[in-house]
Amino acid sequence: MDDIREHYLAWLRDAHAMEEQALTMMRGLLSRLENDPVLCSRMEQHVAETERQAESLRKLIEGRDSGASMMKDTLGKASALGQAQGGMFADDEIVKGLMASYTFEQMEVAAYKVIISTASVLEDTTAIAIFEQNLAEEQGMADWLLDHLDQTMRIFLARDEAGRPARR
Ligand code: MG
Ligand code: FE
């Protein structure tokens, strides 16, 4: 059981780092989405959800991991990295960013499934309720991105065409 517990705590920290990375990625994309208010507002909603997810994971880790004082260092590094990645999108990088976002949501879904199984074996029922809510939010965002990909692409392509100098 000690081995399972060790994995569990490691996966909890990984999940927290994953949410911090999600925030960096979405904030970078959001700064480029001014032409697509529908996508922009859905992503702002998911940023708010993700901030809450990261906070709830942080509290879970603090309550379960005696080595949780390491958290502060990890958080500092994540936000420093985030600043460097802020302006990385150019041209079709928005489209690549969207594909990466969808993939990221699916990875989050799998990560919460893994952690829910582990928490079930350890009978950590309080934590399971939180993971289930996070899982539902990831699934909701993944579904939304896929359902709106055509609309998103049409807006991107129309904008791209309008923004180009006329060709001979
Ligand atoms: Mg998330
Ligand atoms: Fe997410």
Side-chain angles (χ1 to χ4, degrees):
M1 216 61 162
D2 277 3
D3 283 357
I4 298 176
R5 186 133 195 102
E6 228 169 85
H7 279 306
Y8 182 52
L9 291 174
W11 290 334
L12 261 174
R13 287 191 296 267
D14 288 348
H16 182 269
M18 172 180 79
E19 297 304 351
E20 291 291 325
Q21 197 187 338
L23 285 172
T24 300
M25 194 175 183
M26 286 189 289
R27 285 174 182 148
L29 256 177
L30 262 175
S31 67
R32 301 291 308 277
L33 295 181
E34 67 278 2
N35 297 322
D36 191 340
V38 175
L39 174 60
C40 194
S41 82
R42 182 62 180 88
M43 199 158 280
E44 275 169 353
Q45 181 197 324
H46 197 54
V47 165
E49 289 168 347
T50 305
E51 284 168 344
R52 193 204 45 75
Q53 293 171 351
E55 177 62 13
S56 67
L57 290 171
R58 192 184 61 76
K59 284 186 186 146
L60 282 180
I61 293 166
E62 277 180 359
R64 283 158 182 76
D65 187 354
S66 52
S69 57
M70 297 300 288
M71 283 290 288
K72 217 178 162 191
D73 282 331
T74 317
L75 285 177
K77 275 173 205 153
S79 64
L81 192 70
Q83 284 167 0
Q85 288 178 344
M88 69 187 230
F89 300 105
D91 203 11
D92 75 330
E93 293 299 307
I94 289 178
V95 176
K96 287 170 182 153
L98 276 172
M99 287 193 276
S101 293
Y102 177 72
T103 308
F104 201 95
E105 296 307 332
Q106 296 293 14
M107 186 187 68
E108 292 185 281
V109 166
Y112 282 115
K113 291 266 193 190
V114 164
I115 217 164
I116 286 167
S117 300
T118 315
S120 300
V121 169
L122 293 171
E123 297 177 343
D124 191 353
T125 44
T126 332
I128 291 170
I130 289 164
F131 302 144
E132 293 280 8
Q133 185 188 339
N134 293 3
L135 174 65
E137 289 167 354
E138 312 307 8
Q139 193 67 68
M141 185 59 178
D143 291 347
W144 192 97
L145 286 170
L146 196 59
D147 288 346
H148 289 77
L149 191 56
D150 180 59
Q151 186 190 331
T152 301
M153 279 309 297
R154 284 169 193 277
I155 292 167
F156 172 84
L157 293 171
R159 210 50 217 199
D160 194 51
E161 189 68 13
R164 261 173 215 287
R167 290 226 179 101
R168 278 172 292 139

